Amino acid sequence: MRNWISALALGASLGTVHAANLDQQQAKALAQEAYVFAYATAEHDKVLSAIAAKLPFNRLYSEARLLGPQDTKVVSPNNDTFYSRALLDLRSEPVVLDVPAVQGRYYSFQLVDMRTDNLDYIGTRATGDQAGRYLIAGPDWQGEVPSGFSGVIRSPSRLVFLLGRTEVKGEADQKDAAQVLMGYALQPLSKVSGGATPEPLAPLQLPAYTDTKQGPAQALFSTFNALAPLHQWTAAEQKKLARFAAIGVKPGVAFQAPADLDEAIAQGAEAGREQVRAASSQLSVEQQGWFPSPSNVGKYGDDDLTRGAVAWRYIYANDAAEALYPMALHDTRGQILDGQHAYRLHFPAGQLPPVNAFWSLTLYDGKTQLLAANPVQRYALGDRSPGLQYDADGGLTLILQADAPKAAPQGNWLPTPQGPFNLLLRLYLPKGGALDGSYQLPTITRIES
């Protein structure tokens, strides 16, 4: 319990910069900076609080179904894998993840800390296709690792989001993929080792999620303050938090803006939100309508703007070595993709996405970043789609439009909503050409009626 109390006390010790030393412009600028710094952690709470409301901590939940438009907790979800999820409360002891041998099928467990940085991976790329046992420990644990473990993962966060993905190779494969899920197991270390069970700590109470994209922007600071004690901040981050304390952004303390600076802080937070929103549409240099994945996704360091922009647009993106996510917002003429028009997306012969696992193209509503409902319940197309017809030269042409095309293969049609939409091209276990940027992304051309 001592470590938990010291973490909560961090907020008080950081309050060394006083609001009296700030004028209105300085307070506004500081609030904008603090918003960008805090955004990803606060947006992370959307999933944390939703899972905690339904599932005990340290309980692995695997769902043998593909996500659809009804799933609204995570922006830009995939429609390619079964998901597994758990919230790991590492305050009192580590947890142990057991995985079976998974051969001939991609799988991964991504571990996300409170800053939305990715920790080490467990899965096809990172640990191979053999069965294994992995210890996951928080910053406060100082014990000895027992024998018999395949690996140890240390986290700077006391609460870790465990996100598993298990490949589904089409409708007929769902039963076999579901069997793989049965082999995953999560247990506390004391149960695995037969050691003494630690004294129970007070249950974690996560703040209710407040929509970061609507309402007063400074409400985000309340969420951040409540979550911040769950992370062990670096020395550089603590220096930032020491400055933010002057405007009420303090770990473990209820957010309260100084009365004489309240309006300036509110304006600064709004400016920060707009900065994050704008950056989410400019995550890299656009290439023929596509924005390649930022090179530092999942390992952001002090690049808080990219961290926040990714959280806004497609939170929980994998490291580049695990998956790439080129995003398209525009056609080749620079016009916003909109379901009022029809489009042709073309992969030339020899230019299908270079991957060691699989690839898919997923379409999202441009306003919500969620899967767009459509009559044929088709949300993605990819190398496992059974009805694709390839061009005579080996290339591939997909049709994007609201209504079924009359002069194109129905299996090559990806339905669009009536309004704006965007695309994510997922490349799981990308090969060198995708990683070094030499792979040419497909063209998206508006079809003139």
Side-chain angles (χ1 to χ4, degrees):
M1 190 68 174
R2 182 182 69 255
N3 288 323
W4 183 240
I5 293 174
S6 65
L8 287 170
L10 177 62
S13 67
L14 292 176
T16 56
V17 179
H18 298 290
N21 297 329
L22 297 175
D23 61 25
Q24 299 294 313
Q25 283 303 115
Q26 290 172 327
K28 180 178 178 180
L30 193 59
Q32 180 174 347
E33 181 187 356
Y35 188 98
V36 173
F37 178 87
Y39 180 80
T41 297
E43 178 63 15
H44 188 32
D45 184 53
K46 183 177 185 179
V47 167
L48 297 181
S49 59
I51 295 177
K54 297 180 179 180
L55 190 69
F57 292 99
N58 299 332
R59 178 80 57 83
L60 183 65
Y61 176 66
S62 295
E63 196 168 12
R65 72 177 183 90
L66 298 175
L67 299 188
Q70 72 277 12
D71 298 291
T72 61
K73 296 303 181 185
V74 178
V75 291
S76 303
N78 82 46
N79 187 243
D80 306 300
T81 70
F82 289 156
Y83 278 110
S84 301
R85 59 186 68 89
L87 298 186
L88 310 183
D89 180 357
L90 305 178
R91 293 176 299 157
S92 60
E93 67 171 320
V95 298
V96 176
L97 178 68
D98 287 296
V99 299
V102 183
Q103 299 176 342
R105 181 189 305 278
Y106 170 84
Y107 88 101
S108 68
F109 280 94
Q110 175 187 10
L111 293 102
V112 184
D113 72 14
M114 295 301 295
R115 289 279 275 154
T116 67
D117 276 322
N118 295 330
L119 307 176
D120 291 337
Y121 279 77
I122 299 165
T124 303
R125 175 191 62 85
T127 57
D129 58 9
Q130 299 301 308
R133 169 167 283 185
Y134 300 90
L135 184 87
I136 306 166
D140 307 316
W141 186 71
Q142 304 297 329
E144 294 291 328
V145 178
S147 61
F149 281 86
S150 307
V152 178
I153 297 174
R154 297 300 302 245
S155 168
S157 294
R158 298 169 178 89
L159 180 62
V160 169
F161 178 38
L162 180 70
L163 181 60
R165 298 174 176 91
T166 303
E167 178 187 2
V168 180
K169 301 178 181 182
E171 186 73 27
D173 181 53
Q174 292 200 37
K175 184 176 180 180
D176 288 342
Q179 283 298 115
V180 176
L181 303 183
M182 302 297 291
Y184 303 142
L186 187 69
Q187 304 174 79
L189 176 60
S190 58
K191 184 173 182 180
V192 171
S193 66
T197 302
E199 181 182 346
L201 300 177
L204 277 180
Q205 297 293 327
L206 299 178
Y209 175 71
T210 300
D211 191 343
T212 61
K213 297 180 173 69
Q214 301 182 49
Q218 65 178 344
L220 176 135
F221 295 141
S222 293
T223 303
F224 176 80
N225 283 6
L227 293 174
L230 290 168
H231 188 72
Q232 181 170 286
W233 301 90
T234 67
E237 291 166 340
Q238 289 189 42
K239 288 181 180 179
K240 291 183 180 181
L241 289 168
R243 293 190 296 108
F244 299 156
I247 59 170
V249 179
K250 303 178 183 180
V253 176
F255 171 70
Q256 181 64 56
D260 59 332
L261 298 175
D262 183 68
E263 183 60 29
I265 292 169
Q267 292 175 2
E270 294 292 345
R273 176 159 62 184
E274 176 57 24
Q275 186 179 4
V276 172
R277 186 206 63 75
S280 76
S281 297
Q282 302 170 1
L283 282 166
S284 56
V285 177
E286 190 171 14
Q287 302 173 14
Q288 297 234 6
W290 293 92
F291 291 93
S293 299
S295 60
N296 62 341
V297 163
K299 298 286 190 298
Y300 301 101
D302 61 359
D303 185 0
D304 294 323
L305 185 56
T306 299
R307 182 193 304 278
V310 170
W312 183 288
R313 180 67 63 171
Y314 46 84
I315 196 169
Y316 311 134
N318 280 292
D319 290 3
E322 198 72 30
L324 292 175
Y325 303 86
M327 175 180 65
L329 303 176
H330 305 110
D331 62 21
T332 52
R333 299 189 303 180
Q335 301 297 310
I336 291 176
L337 298 174
D338 194 295
Q340 297 180 53
H341 309 294
Y343 302 87
R344 182 180 293 108
L345 185 148
H346 179 64
F347 297 94
Q351 288 295 309
L352 291 173
V355 294
N356 286 315
F358 65 88
W359 68 266
S360 68
L361 179 78
T362 311
L363 189 148
Y364 299 97
D365 182 279
K367 296 177 182 178
T368 65
Q369 295 306 126
L370 300 175
L371 296 169
N374 61 78
V376 296
Q377 299 182 354
R378 183 181 299 160
Y379 314 111
L381 289 172
D383 56 4
R384 293 147 299 128
S385 298
L388 285 183
Q389 293 188 29
Y390 289 82
D391 304 336
D393 64 358
L396 179 63
T397 301
L398 305 180
I399 302 300
L400 316 177
Q401 61 185 53
D403 300 322
K406 298 178 180 178
Q410 298 300 293
N412 291 33
W413 169 45
L414 191 54
T416 69
Q418 290 294 334
F421 67 90
N422 59 265
L423 303 165
L424 275 185
L425 180 63
R426 287 180 166 84
L427 290 79
Y428 276 88
L429 304 189
K431 293 182 179 179
L435 288 168
D436 65 21
S438 62
Y439 170 65
Q440 296 296 307
L441 292 162
T443 56
I444 307 171
T445 306
R446 180 172 158 181
I447 300 172
E448 300 297 340
S449 56

